[in-house]
Amino acid sequence: MIQQSIEFGKDSQRRSFQTAVQTGEFLITAEVAPPKGGDPSHMVQMALALKNRVHAVNITDGSRAVLRLCPLAASVILLQHGIEPICQMACRDRNRIALQSDLMGANALGIHNILALTGDPVKAGDHAEARSVFDVESVRLLQIIEKLNRGFDSNERPLTDSATQLFPGAAVDPQLPNWSSLQRRFEHKIAAGAQFFQSQLIVDFNRLEKFMSQIAVNYGKPILAGIFLLKSAKNAQFINRCVPGVNIPQATIERLERASNPLLEGMIIAAEQIQLARQLCQGVHLMAVKREDLIPQILDMAEILPLNQPVLAQPAVTTKV
C-alpha cells in the first residue's frame, strides 16, 4: 500500500494544486482534521465529499494543540483515495532535525504541499503539561524548506540523496491590529519562500481589501481567505470567546439567533463571504469543523462550479415585442 501511495503521489496528484496556483485559477481549499485515534474512516468520508470541489485538502497538525493522528499519515491516506493534501507542519512539537526528517519523508511519499506554521501554544490544548519545542518558527521553517529544495540541509550541508520538491505555503491574518507588524511578517514569509497564503477566519472584509490593495498586491502570491461555517449563534459566541483575534460581528450573531434554521443560515453567510472574497483575492480556504460534507452545498450557493467543469456560454438575451 505504501509503494502504491508513493507512485500515486508522484504520478497523479502532486502538482495539480501547484499548477492551479501558478496558472492563476481561483483556488479552493478546505480543512479536515485527522482522527483522535486509529480509525481514519470519518476523515476519509469528509474528504471524499470534497473531491472535485476543492483543489486540495488541508490536514491539520495538532490544531489548537489538541492531540490528533499525525498529518503525514493522514496525508498519505488522502493520496490513496485520490485527494491531494496540503500537509500542515507546526514547529511546536519538533526540533529542526525532526522537522527536516518529516519534510524529506513527506517528499518521498509524494506529499509536496506544505503549510508552514509556528503552532498554537500547548496550554491551549488537551495536554497542557507537555513541553513545547519551538526550536524554529514558521519563517525559519520556510527557510529550511527552501534549503531542502536547493539540496542542502539547514546547516547548508549537501543532501546526498537528492533535493526535495516541496511547495511551501504560510498563514496570514489580515485582521491583525498592528499593521506594520502584519506587513513585516508577511514580507519575511515571502522572502523565505512562501508560494501561497491561507488566512485565518475572515470577518472584516474591509480589512481584507485594505491588506490586498496595500500589501499583498506588491508580491503576486495568492491569498486564500479563510471562510468558517458558523453553525449557530452559540457557535459564533464560542469562537469570539476562544479564538484569539477573531471578533464575529454582533449583527451576524443576531442573524443566526433569528434564523429558524441556524445551520442553513450559517451556510448562506459562508456563501456570501465566498462571493465577497472572490472579488478581492485569489481563493478561499473553507473551514466547516465536523460538517465538511456541507462544503459542496455552500460552494453551490456561492455559484462556484465543480473543478474542471467548463463555464457554459450564456444564451443570448432576446426581447419580445
Side-chain angles (χ1 to χ4, degrees), residues 173-176 199-209 225-230 236 239-240 243-253 269 273 276-277 280 287:
D173 186 359
Q175 297 160 140
L176 284 177
S199 92
Q200 307 290 1
L201 188 166
I202 296 292
V203 295
D204 187 344
F205 284 84
N206 290 328
R207 185 76 171 182
L208 174 63
E209 182 177 17
I227 307 295
F228 191 92
L229 171 61
L230 298 170
I239 291 169
N240 277 351
V243 180
V246 175
N247 184 21
I248 296 167
Q250 185 60 31
T252 300
I253 295 173
I269 291 169
Q273 292 176 334
L276 286 172
L280 300 174
M287 295 165 277

PDB file of all heavy atoms in Angstrom, residues 173-176 199-209 225-230 236 239-240 243-253 269 273 276-277 280 287:
ATOM      1  N   ASP A 173      -2.851  36.656   8.751  1.00  0.00           N
ATOM      2  CA  ASP A 173      -4.074  37.177   9.365  1.00  0.00           C
ATOM      3  C   ASP A 173      -4.210  38.659   9.045  1.00  0.00           C
ATOM      4  O   ASP A 173      -3.652  39.514   9.750  1.00  0.00           O
ATOM      5  CB  ASP A 173      -4.067  36.965  10.879  1.00  0.00           C
ATOM      6  CG  ASP A 173      -5.397  37.363  11.519  1.00  0.00           C
ATOM      7  OD1 ASP A 173      -6.302  37.809  10.782  1.00  0.00           O
ATOM      8  OD2 ASP A 173      -5.528  37.221  12.755  1.00  0.00           O
ATOM      9  N   PRO A 174      -4.928  38.998   7.959  1.00  0.00           N
ATOM     10  CA  PRO A 174      -5.078  40.409   7.577  1.00  0.00           C
ATOM     11  C   PRO A 174      -5.770  41.268   8.619  1.00  0.00           C
ATOM     12  O   PRO A 174      -5.780  42.495   8.493  1.00  0.00           O
ATOM     13  CB  PRO A 174      -5.937  40.325   6.300  1.00  0.00           C
ATOM     14  CG  PRO A 174      -5.730  38.948   5.783  1.00  0.00           C
ATOM     15  CD  PRO A 174      -5.583  38.096   7.008  1.00  0.00           C
ATOM     16  N   GLN A 175      -6.355  40.655   9.654  1.00  0.00           N
ATOM     17  CA  GLN A 175      -7.096  41.415  10.657  1.00  0.00           C
ATOM     18  C   GLN A 175      -6.254  41.780  11.877  1.00  0.00           C
ATOM     19  O   GLN A 175      -6.779  42.334  12.847  1.00  0.00           O
ATOM     20  CB  GLN A 175      -8.335  40.613  11.091  1.00  0.00           C
ATOM     21  CG  GLN A 175      -9.295  40.383   9.935  1.00  0.00           C
ATOM     22  CD  GLN A 175     -10.266  39.234  10.163  1.00  0.00           C
ATOM     23  OE1 GLN A 175     -11.421  39.330   9.810  1.00  0.00           O
ATOM     24  NE2 GLN A 175      -9.807  38.162  10.753  1.00  0.00           N
ATOM     25  N   LEU A 176      -4.948  41.492  11.831  1.00  0.00           N
ATOM     26  CA  LEU A 176      -4.089  41.873  12.949  1.00  0.00           C
ATOM     27  C   LEU A 176      -4.148  43.380  13.156  1.00  0.00           C
ATOM     28  O   LEU A 176      -4.061  44.156  12.198  1.00  0.00           O
ATOM     29  CB  LEU A 176      -2.644  41.451  12.680  1.00  0.00           C
ATOM     30  CG  LEU A 176      -2.314  39.968  12.846  1.00  0.00           C
ATOM     31  CD1 LEU A 176      -0.863  39.716  12.462  1.00  0.00           C
ATOM     32  CD2 LEU A 176      -2.570  39.507  14.273  1.00  0.00           C
ATOM     33  N   SER A 199      -5.472  32.363   4.922  1.00  0.00           N
ATOM     34  CA  SER A 199      -5.696  33.319   6.011  1.00  0.00           C
ATOM     35  C   SER A 199      -6.460  32.676   7.162  1.00  0.00           C
ATOM     36  O   SER A 199      -7.118  31.644   7.008  1.00  0.00           O
ATOM     37  CB  SER A 199      -6.449  34.551   5.500  1.00  0.00           C
ATOM     38  OG  SER A 199      -7.841  34.390   5.648  1.00  0.00           O
ATOM     39  N   GLN A 200      -6.375  33.340   8.293  1.00  0.00           N
ATOM     40  CA  GLN A 200      -7.240  32.997   9.409  1.00  0.00           C
ATOM     41  C   GLN A 200      -8.677  33.352   9.034  1.00  0.00           C
ATOM     42  O   GLN A 200      -8.933  33.987   8.007  1.00  0.00           O
ATOM     43  CB  GLN A 200      -6.812  33.775  10.655  1.00  0.00           C
ATOM     44  CG  GLN A 200      -5.335  33.629  11.014  1.00  0.00           C
ATOM     45  CD  GLN A 200      -4.969  32.257  11.533  1.00  0.00           C
ATOM     46  OE1 GLN A 200      -5.801  31.355  11.622  1.00  0.00           O
ATOM     47  NE2 GLN A 200      -3.713  32.073  11.886  1.00  0.00           N
ATOM     48  N   LEU A 201      -9.613  32.951   9.871  1.00  0.00           N
ATOM     49  CA  LEU A 201     -11.033  33.240   9.668  1.00  0.00           C
ATOM     50  C   LEU A 201     -11.229  34.738   9.433  1.00  0.00           C
ATOM     51  O   LEU A 201     -10.832  35.558  10.260  1.00  0.00           O
ATOM     52  CB  LEU A 201     -11.785  32.784  10.911  1.00  0.00           C
ATOM     53  CG  LEU A 201     -13.306  32.777  10.975  1.00  0.00           C
ATOM     54  CD1 LEU A 201     -13.742  31.966  12.185  1.00  0.00           C
ATOM     55  CD2 LEU A 201     -13.902  34.161  11.058  1.00  0.00           C
ATOM     56  N   ILE A 202     -11.833  35.085   8.287  1.00  0.00           N
ATOM     57  CA  ILE A 202     -12.056  36.488   7.941  1.00  0.00           C
ATOM     58  C   ILE A 202     -13.485  36.891   8.317  1.00  0.00           C
ATOM     59  O   ILE A 202     -14.453  36.236   7.918  1.00  0.00           O
ATOM     60  CB  ILE A 202     -11.839  36.734   6.436  1.00  0.00           C
ATOM     61  CG1 ILE A 202     -10.378  36.468   6.052  1.00  0.00           C
ATOM     62  CG2 ILE A 202     -12.238  38.159   6.056  1.00  0.00           C
ATOM     63  CD1 ILE A 202      -9.385  37.447   6.620  1.00  0.00           C
ATOM     64  N   VAL A 203     -13.587  37.955   9.092  1.00  0.00           N
ATOM     65  CA  VAL A 203     -14.901  38.531   9.380  1.00  0.00           C
ATOM     66  C   VAL A 203     -14.977  39.986   8.926  1.00  0.00           C
ATOM     67  O   VAL A 203     -16.063  40.534   8.746  1.00  0.00           O
ATOM     68  CB  VAL A 203     -15.255  38.437  10.883  1.00  0.00           C
ATOM     69  CG1 VAL A 203     -15.408  36.988  11.308  1.00  0.00           C
ATOM     70  CG2 VAL A 203     -14.199  39.133  11.745  1.00  0.00           C
ATOM     71  N   ASP A 204     -13.808  40.609   8.738  1.00  0.00           N
ATOM     72  CA  ASP A 204     -13.746  42.012   8.328  1.00  0.00           C
ATOM     73  C   ASP A 204     -13.227  42.080   6.897  1.00  0.00           C
ATOM     74  O   ASP A 204     -12.009  42.084   6.659  1.00  0.00           O
ATOM     75  CB  ASP A 204     -12.835  42.792   9.281  1.00  0.00           C
ATOM     76  CG  ASP A 204     -12.847  44.294   9.011  1.00  0.00           C
ATOM     77  OD1 ASP A 204     -13.304  44.702   7.926  1.00  0.00           O
ATOM     78  OD2 ASP A 204     -12.382  45.053   9.887  1.00  0.00           O
ATOM     79  N   PHE A 205     -14.139  42.134   5.934  1.00  0.00           N
ATOM     80  CA  PHE A 205     -13.733  42.110   4.533  1.00  0.00           C
ATOM     81  C   PHE A 205     -13.209  43.467   4.075  1.00  0.00           C
ATOM     82  O   PHE A 205     -12.472  43.535   3.085  1.00  0.00           O
ATOM     83  CB  PHE A 205     -14.885  41.612   3.660  1.00  0.00           C
ATOM     84  CG  PHE A 205     -15.063  40.135   3.753  1.00  0.00           C
ATOM     85  CD1 PHE A 205     -15.812  39.567   4.783  1.00  0.00           C
ATOM     86  CD2 PHE A 205     -14.455  39.283   2.850  1.00  0.00           C
ATOM     87  CE1 PHE A 205     -15.949  38.197   4.898  1.00  0.00           C
ATOM     88  CE2 PHE A 205     -14.580  37.907   2.950  1.00  0.00           C
ATOM     89  CZ  PHE A 205     -15.341  37.357   3.975  1.00  0.00           C
ATOM     90  N   ASN A 206     -13.524  44.535   4.784  1.00  0.00           N
ATOM     91  CA  ASN A 206     -12.898  45.820   4.501  1.00  0.00           C
ATOM     92  C   ASN A 206     -11.409  45.760   4.823  1.00  0.00           C
ATOM     93  O   ASN A 206     -10.568  46.290   4.094  1.00  0.00           O
ATOM     94  CB  ASN A 206     -13.569  46.939   5.299  1.00  0.00           C
ATOM     95  CG  ASN A 206     -14.972  47.237   4.814  1.00  0.00           C
ATOM     96  OD1 ASN A 206     -15.278  47.095   3.628  1.00  0.00           O
ATOM     97  ND2 ASN A 206     -15.844  47.631   5.720  1.00  0.00           N
ATOM     98  N   ARG A 207     -11.098  45.110   5.927  1.00  0.00           N
ATOM     99  CA  ARG A 207      -9.700  44.936   6.312  1.00  0.00           C
ATOM    100  C   ARG A 207      -8.963  44.050   5.299  1.00  0.00           C
ATOM    101  O   ARG A 207      -7.816  44.315   4.939  1.00  0.00           O
ATOM    102  CB  ARG A 207      -9.638  44.311   7.700  1.00  0.00           C
ATOM    103  CG  ARG A 207      -8.247  44.176   8.286  1.00  0.00           C
ATOM    104  CD  ARG A 207      -7.715  45.480   8.779  1.00  0.00           C
ATOM    105  NE  ARG A 207      -6.467  45.278   9.518  1.00  0.00           N
ATOM    106  CZ  ARG A 207      -5.790  46.244  10.106  1.00  0.00           C
ATOM    107  NH1 ARG A 207      -6.233  47.480  10.066  1.00  0.00           N
ATOM    108  NH2 ARG A 207      -4.660  45.989  10.750  1.00  0.00           N
ATOM    109  N   LEU A 208      -9.634  42.992   4.827  1.00  0.00           N
ATOM    110  CA  LEU A 208      -9.033  42.132   3.811  1.00  0.00           C
ATOM    111  C   LEU A 208      -8.742  42.927   2.544  1.00  0.00           C
ATOM    112  O   LEU A 208      -7.676  42.793   1.941  1.00  0.00           O
ATOM    113  CB  LEU A 208      -9.953  40.950   3.496  1.00  0.00           C
ATOM    114  CG  LEU A 208      -9.504  40.038   2.349  1.00  0.00           C
ATOM    115  CD1 LEU A 208      -8.166  39.361   2.674  1.00  0.00           C
ATOM    116  CD2 LEU A 208     -10.576  38.990   2.045  1.00  0.00           C
ATOM    117  N   GLU A 209      -9.700  43.770   2.140  1.00  0.00           N
ATOM    118  CA  GLU A 209      -9.500  44.581   0.940  1.00  0.00           C
ATOM    119  C   GLU A 209      -8.302  45.515   1.112  1.00  0.00           C
ATOM    120  O   GLU A 209      -7.486  45.687   0.184  1.00  0.00           O
ATOM    121  CB  GLU A 209     -10.756  45.391   0.639  1.00  0.00           C
ATOM    122  CG  GLU A 209     -10.649  46.229  -0.628  1.00  0.00           C
ATOM    123  CD  GLU A 209     -11.931  46.970  -0.950  1.00  0.00           C
ATOM    124  OE1 GLU A 209     -12.793  47.100  -0.061  1.00  0.00           O
ATOM    125  OE2 GLU A 209     -12.074  47.411  -2.109  1.00  0.00           O
ATOM    126  N   ALA A 225      -8.702  33.455   1.371  1.00  0.00           N
ATOM    127  CA  ALA A 225      -9.403  33.992   2.535  1.00  0.00           C
ATOM    128  C   ALA A 225     -10.054  32.863   3.332  1.00  0.00           C
ATOM    129  O   ALA A 225     -10.753  32.014   2.774  1.00  0.00           O
ATOM    130  CB  ALA A 225     -10.465  34.995   2.086  1.00  0.00           C
ATOM    131  N   GLY A 226      -9.863  32.873   4.629  1.00  0.00           N
ATOM    132  CA  GLY A 226     -10.444  31.855   5.495  1.00  0.00           C
ATOM    133  C   GLY A 226     -11.932  32.089   5.707  1.00  0.00           C
ATOM    134  O   GLY A 226     -12.336  33.142   6.195  1.00  0.00           O
ATOM    135  N   ILE A 227     -12.737  31.110   5.330  1.00  0.00           N
ATOM    136  CA  ILE A 227     -14.193  31.181   5.478  1.00  0.00           C
ATOM    137  C   ILE A 227     -14.625  30.064   6.427  1.00  0.00           C
ATOM    138  O   ILE A 227     -14.340  28.886   6.175  1.00  0.00           O
ATOM    139  CB  ILE A 227     -14.911  31.013   4.118  1.00  0.00           C
ATOM    140  CG1 ILE A 227     -14.373  31.997   3.078  1.00  0.00           C
ATOM    141  CG2 ILE A 227     -16.415  31.153   4.304  1.00  0.00           C
ATOM    142  CD1 ILE A 227     -14.625  33.448   3.378  1.00  0.00           C
ATOM    143  N   PHE A 228     -15.326  30.448   7.490  1.00  0.00           N
ATOM    144  CA  PHE A 228     -15.708  29.488   8.530  1.00  0.00           C
ATOM    145  C   PHE A 228     -17.222  29.311   8.545  1.00  0.00           C
ATOM    146  O   PHE A 228     -17.968  30.295   8.510  1.00  0.00           O
ATOM    147  CB  PHE A 228     -15.228  29.993   9.893  1.00  0.00           C
ATOM    148  CG  PHE A 228     -15.323  28.978  10.999  1.00  0.00           C
ATOM    149  CD1 PHE A 228     -14.256  28.155  11.296  1.00  0.00           C
ATOM    150  CD2 PHE A 228     -16.498  28.852  11.744  1.00  0.00           C
ATOM    151  CE1 PHE A 228     -14.347  27.230  12.331  1.00  0.00           C
ATOM    152  CE2 PHE A 228     -16.590  27.932  12.761  1.00  0.00           C
ATOM    153  CZ  PHE A 228     -15.522  27.114  13.060  1.00  0.00           C
ATOM    154  N   LEU A 229     -17.666  28.062   8.602  1.00  0.00           N
ATOM    155  CA  LEU A 229     -19.098  27.779   8.704  1.00  0.00           C
ATOM    156  C   LEU A 229     -19.542  27.950  10.156  1.00  0.00           C
ATOM    157  O   LEU A 229     -19.163  27.171  11.038  1.00  0.00           O
ATOM    158  CB  LEU A 229     -19.410  26.358   8.221  1.00  0.00           C
ATOM    159  CG  LEU A 229     -20.844  25.876   8.474  1.00  0.00           C
ATOM    160  CD1 LEU A 229     -21.859  26.768   7.742  1.00  0.00           C
ATOM    161  CD2 LEU A 229     -21.006  24.411   8.069  1.00  0.00           C
ATOM    162  N   LEU A 230     -20.346  28.981  10.397  1.00  0.00           N
ATOM    163  CA  LEU A 230     -20.942  29.201  11.717  1.00  0.00           C
ATOM    164  C   LEU A 230     -22.230  28.389  11.802  1.00  0.00           C
ATOM    165  O   LEU A 230     -23.132  28.558  10.983  1.00  0.00           O
ATOM    166  CB  LEU A 230     -21.233  30.680  11.920  1.00  0.00           C
ATOM    167  CG  LEU A 230     -20.011  31.605  11.888  1.00  0.00           C
ATOM    168  CD1 LEU A 230     -20.444  33.060  11.846  1.00  0.00           C
ATOM    169  CD2 LEU A 230     -19.100  31.339  13.082  1.00  0.00           C
ATOM    170  N   ALA A 236     -20.876  30.896  17.212  1.00  0.00           N
ATOM    171  CA  ALA A 236     -20.191  32.162  16.944  1.00  0.00           C
ATOM    172  C   ALA A 236     -19.676  32.788  18.235  1.00  0.00           C
ATOM    173  O   ALA A 236     -18.553  33.323  18.283  1.00  0.00           O
ATOM    174  CB  ALA A 236     -21.140  33.118  16.227  1.00  0.00           C
ATOM    175  N   ILE A 239     -16.550  31.021  19.397  1.00  0.00           N
ATOM    176  CA  ILE A 239     -15.374  31.418  18.626  1.00  0.00           C
ATOM    177  C   ILE A 239     -14.851  32.767  19.108  1.00  0.00           C
ATOM    178  O   ILE A 239     -13.638  32.956  19.296  1.00  0.00           O
ATOM    179  CB  ILE A 239     -15.707  31.443  17.120  1.00  0.00           C
ATOM    180  CG1 ILE A 239     -15.929  30.008  16.621  1.00  0.00           C
ATOM    181  CG2 ILE A 239     -14.603  32.124  16.312  1.00  0.00           C
ATOM    182  CD1 ILE A 239     -16.512  29.918  15.248  1.00  0.00           C
ATOM    183  N   ASN A 240     -15.753  33.706  19.321  1.00  0.00           N
ATOM    184  CA  ASN A 240     -15.323  35.016  19.839  1.00  0.00           C
ATOM    185  C   ASN A 240     -14.618  34.887  21.178  1.00  0.00           C
ATOM    186  O   ASN A 240     -13.664  35.611  21.471  1.00  0.00           O
ATOM    187  CB  ASN A 240     -16.531  35.942  19.985  1.00  0.00           C
ATOM    188  CG  ASN A 240     -16.912  36.616  18.689  1.00  0.00           C
ATOM    189  OD1 ASN A 240     -16.191  36.540  17.698  1.00  0.00           O
ATOM    190  ND2 ASN A 240     -18.050  37.288  18.681  1.00  0.00           N
ATOM    191  N   VAL A 243     -11.189  31.938  20.330  1.00  0.00           N
ATOM    192  CA  VAL A 243     -10.227  32.032  19.227  1.00  0.00           C
ATOM    193  C   VAL A 243      -9.619  33.424  19.231  1.00  0.00           C
ATOM    194  O   VAL A 243     -10.318  34.404  18.935  1.00  0.00           O
ATOM    195  CB  VAL A 243     -10.895  31.735  17.862  1.00  0.00           C
ATOM    196  CG1 VAL A 243      -9.862  31.842  16.744  1.00  0.00           C
ATOM    197  CG2 VAL A 243     -11.524  30.334  17.874  1.00  0.00           C
ATOM    198  N   PRO A 244      -8.338  33.547  19.570  1.00  0.00           N
ATOM    199  CA  PRO A 244      -7.704  34.870  19.651  1.00  0.00           C
ATOM    200  C   PRO A 244      -7.762  35.607  18.313  1.00  0.00           C
ATOM    201  O   PRO A 244      -7.577  35.021  17.248  1.00  0.00           O
ATOM    202  CB  PRO A 244      -6.251  34.545  20.032  1.00  0.00           C
ATOM    203  CG  PRO A 244      -6.311  33.191  20.653  1.00  0.00           C
ATOM    204  CD  PRO A 244      -7.418  32.461  19.951  1.00  0.00           C
ATOM    205  N   GLY A 245      -8.043  36.902  18.374  1.00  0.00           N
ATOM    206  CA  GLY A 245      -8.003  37.738  17.187  1.00  0.00           C
ATOM    207  C   GLY A 245      -9.250  37.711  16.336  1.00  0.00           C
ATOM    208  O   GLY A 245      -9.313  38.400  15.314  1.00  0.00           O
ATOM    209  N   VAL A 246     -10.261  36.937  16.725  1.00  0.00           N
ATOM    210  CA  VAL A 246     -11.497  36.841  15.935  1.00  0.00           C
ATOM    211  C   VAL A 246     -12.614  37.562  16.681  1.00  0.00           C
ATOM    212  O   VAL A 246     -12.810  37.354  17.877  1.00  0.00           O
ATOM    213  CB  VAL A 246     -11.889  35.376  15.677  1.00  0.00           C
ATOM    214  CG1 VAL A 246     -13.239  35.302  14.975  1.00  0.00           C
ATOM    215  CG2 VAL A 246     -10.819  34.676  14.846  1.00  0.00           C
ATOM    216  N   ASN A 247     -13.340  38.389  15.950  1.00  0.00           N
ATOM    217  CA  ASN A 247     -14.463  39.106  16.548  1.00  0.00           C
ATOM    218  C   ASN A 247     -15.621  39.093  15.564  1.00  0.00           C
ATOM    219  O   ASN A 247     -15.768  39.992  14.734  1.00  0.00           O
ATOM    220  CB  ASN A 247     -14.072  40.541  16.898  1.00  0.00           C
ATOM    221  CG  ASN A 247     -15.193  41.284  17.604  1.00  0.00           C
ATOM    222  OD1 ASN A 247     -16.097  40.676  18.178  1.00  0.00           O
ATOM    223  ND2 ASN A 247     -15.161  42.604  17.551  1.00  0.00           N
ATOM    224  N   ILE A 248     -16.424  38.038  15.632  1.00  0.00           N
ATOM    225  CA  ILE A 248     -17.580  37.921  14.747  1.00  0.00           C
ATOM    226  C   ILE A 248     -18.577  39.011  15.105  1.00  0.00           C
ATOM    227  O   ILE A 248     -18.949  39.172  16.275  1.00  0.00           O
ATOM    228  CB  ILE A 248     -18.214  36.522  14.867  1.00  0.00           C
ATOM    229  CG1 ILE A 248     -17.204  35.464  14.388  1.00  0.00           C
ATOM    230  CG2 ILE A 248     -19.511  36.432  14.066  1.00  0.00           C
ATOM    231  CD1 ILE A 248     -17.576  34.052  14.732  1.00  0.00           C
ATOM    232  N   PRO A 249     -19.005  39.810  14.136  1.00  0.00           N
ATOM    233  CA  PRO A 249     -19.870  40.961  14.443  1.00  0.00           C
ATOM    234  C   PRO A 249     -21.168  40.545  15.125  1.00  0.00           C
ATOM    235  O   PRO A 249     -21.727  39.474  14.848  1.00  0.00           O
ATOM    236  CB  PRO A 249     -20.141  41.561  13.059  1.00  0.00           C
ATOM    237  CG  PRO A 249     -19.026  41.083  12.187  1.00  0.00           C
ATOM    238  CD  PRO A 249     -18.665  39.720  12.708  1.00  0.00           C
ATOM    239  N   GLN A 250     -21.650  41.410  16.002  1.00  0.00           N
ATOM    240  CA  GLN A 250     -22.898  41.153  16.711  1.00  0.00           C
ATOM    241  C   GLN A 250     -24.054  40.998  15.735  1.00  0.00           C
ATOM    242  O   GLN A 250     -24.975  40.196  15.974  1.00  0.00           O
ATOM    243  CB  GLN A 250     -23.177  42.279  17.695  1.00  0.00           C
ATOM    244  CG  GLN A 250     -24.395  42.053  18.573  1.00  0.00           C
ATOM    245  CD  GLN A 250     -24.299  40.813  19.437  1.00  0.00           C
ATOM    246  OE1 GLN A 250     -23.196  40.423  19.842  1.00  0.00           O
ATOM    247  NE2 GLN A 250     -25.427  40.189  19.741  1.00  0.00           N
ATOM    248  N   ALA A 251     -24.021  41.731  14.618  1.00  0.00           N
ATOM    249  CA  ALA A 251     -25.097  41.621  13.624  1.00  0.00           C
ATOM    250  C   ALA A 251     -25.180  40.211  13.049  1.00  0.00           C
ATOM    251  O   ALA A 251     -26.274  39.693  12.795  1.00  0.00           O
ATOM    252  CB  ALA A 251     -24.876  42.637  12.502  1.00  0.00           C
ATOM    253  N   THR A 252     -24.039  39.574  12.862  1.00  0.00           N
ATOM    254  CA  THR A 252     -24.019  38.193  12.362  1.00  0.00           C
ATOM    255  C   THR A 252     -24.582  37.244  13.409  1.00  0.00           C
ATOM    256  O   THR A 252     -25.351  36.324  13.086  1.00  0.00           O
ATOM    257  CB  THR A 252     -22.588  37.788  11.983  1.00  0.00           C
ATOM    258  OG1 THR A 252     -22.092  38.668  10.969  1.00  0.00           O
ATOM    259  CG2 THR A 252     -22.546  36.358  11.465  1.00  0.00           C
ATOM    260  N   ILE A 253     -24.206  37.444  14.662  1.00  0.00           N
ATOM    261  CA  ILE A 253     -24.708  36.597  15.745  1.00  0.00           C
ATOM    262  C   ILE A 253     -26.230  36.738  15.853  1.00  0.00           C
ATOM    263  O   ILE A 253     -26.960  35.740  15.989  1.00  0.00           O
ATOM    264  CB  ILE A 253     -24.018  36.965  17.069  1.00  0.00           C
ATOM    265  CG1 ILE A 253     -22.518  36.642  16.986  1.00  0.00           C
ATOM    266  CG2 ILE A 253     -24.663  36.229  18.236  1.00  0.00           C
ATOM    267  CD1 ILE A 253     -21.705  37.106  18.174  1.00  0.00           C
ATOM    268  N   ILE A 269     -24.480  32.515   4.987  1.00  0.00           N
ATOM    269  CA  ILE A 269     -23.468  33.523   5.341  1.00  0.00           C
ATOM    270  C   ILE A 269     -22.121  33.149   4.734  1.00  0.00           C
ATOM    271  O   ILE A 269     -21.413  33.993   4.161  1.00  0.00           O
ATOM    272  CB  ILE A 269     -23.363  33.667   6.870  1.00  0.00           C
ATOM    273  CG1 ILE A 269     -24.638  34.307   7.432  1.00  0.00           C
ATOM    274  CG2 ILE A 269     -22.132  34.483   7.269  1.00  0.00           C
ATOM    275  CD1 ILE A 269     -24.747  34.253   8.942  1.00  0.00           C
ATOM    276  N   GLN A 273     -19.876  35.193   1.968  1.00  0.00           N
ATOM    277  CA  GLN A 273     -18.482  35.574   2.200  1.00  0.00           C
ATOM    278  C   GLN A 273     -17.574  35.073   1.079  1.00  0.00           C
ATOM    279  O   GLN A 273     -16.610  35.758   0.705  1.00  0.00           O
ATOM    280  CB  GLN A 273     -18.028  35.034   3.559  1.00  0.00           C
ATOM    281  CG  GLN A 273     -18.718  35.714   4.729  1.00  0.00           C
ATOM    282  CD  GLN A 273     -18.338  35.128   6.065  1.00  0.00           C
ATOM    283  OE1 GLN A 273     -17.959  33.960   6.165  1.00  0.00           O
ATOM    284  NE2 GLN A 273     -18.429  35.926   7.123  1.00  0.00           N
ATOM    285  N   LEU A 276     -17.861  37.551  -1.634  1.00  0.00           N
ATOM    286  CA  LEU A 276     -17.076  38.742  -1.321  1.00  0.00           C
ATOM    287  C   LEU A 276     -15.588  38.498  -1.559  1.00  0.00           C
ATOM    288  O   LEU A 276     -14.895  39.327  -2.168  1.00  0.00           O
ATOM    289  CB  LEU A 276     -17.304  39.156   0.139  1.00  0.00           C
ATOM    290  CG  LEU A 276     -18.636  39.805   0.496  1.00  0.00           C
ATOM    291  CD1 LEU A 276     -18.756  39.955   2.009  1.00  0.00           C
ATOM    292  CD2 LEU A 276     -18.768  41.167  -0.179  1.00  0.00           C
ATOM    293  N   ALA A 277     -15.101  37.372  -1.074  1.00  0.00           N
ATOM    294  CA  ALA A 277     -13.679  37.053  -1.218  1.00  0.00           C
ATOM    295  C   ALA A 277     -13.283  36.927  -2.681  1.00  0.00           C
ATOM    296  O   ALA A 277     -12.175  37.319  -3.070  1.00  0.00           O
ATOM    297  CB  ALA A 277     -13.358  35.761  -0.468  1.00  0.00           C
ATOM    298  N   LEU A 280     -11.961  39.959  -4.148  1.00  0.00           N
ATOM    299  CA  LEU A 280     -10.809  40.585  -3.507  1.00  0.00           C
ATOM    300  C   LEU A 280      -9.517  39.811  -3.651  1.00  0.00           C
ATOM    301  O   LEU A 280      -8.433  40.409  -3.697  1.00  0.00           O
ATOM    302  CB  LEU A 280     -11.095  40.786  -2.013  1.00  0.00           C
ATOM    303  CG  LEU A 280     -12.299  41.657  -1.651  1.00  0.00           C
ATOM    304  CD1 LEU A 280     -12.530  41.625  -0.148  1.00  0.00           C
ATOM    305  CD2 LEU A 280     -12.089  43.078  -2.132  1.00  0.00           C
ATOM    306  N   MET A 287     -13.436  26.247   6.234  1.00  0.00           N
ATOM    307  CA  MET A 287     -13.364  25.512   7.497  1.00  0.00           C
ATOM    308  C   MET A 287     -14.783  25.253   7.983  1.00  0.00           C
ATOM    309  O   MET A 287     -15.527  26.197   8.263  1.00  0.00           O
ATOM    310  CB  MET A 287     -12.578  26.326   8.526  1.00  0.00           C
ATOM    311  CG  MET A 287     -11.120  26.535   8.156  1.00  0.00           C
ATOM    312  SD  MET A 287     -10.292  27.841   9.126  1.00  0.00           S
ATOM    313  CE  MET A 287     -10.803  29.293   8.185  1.00  0.00           C
TER     314      MET A 287
END
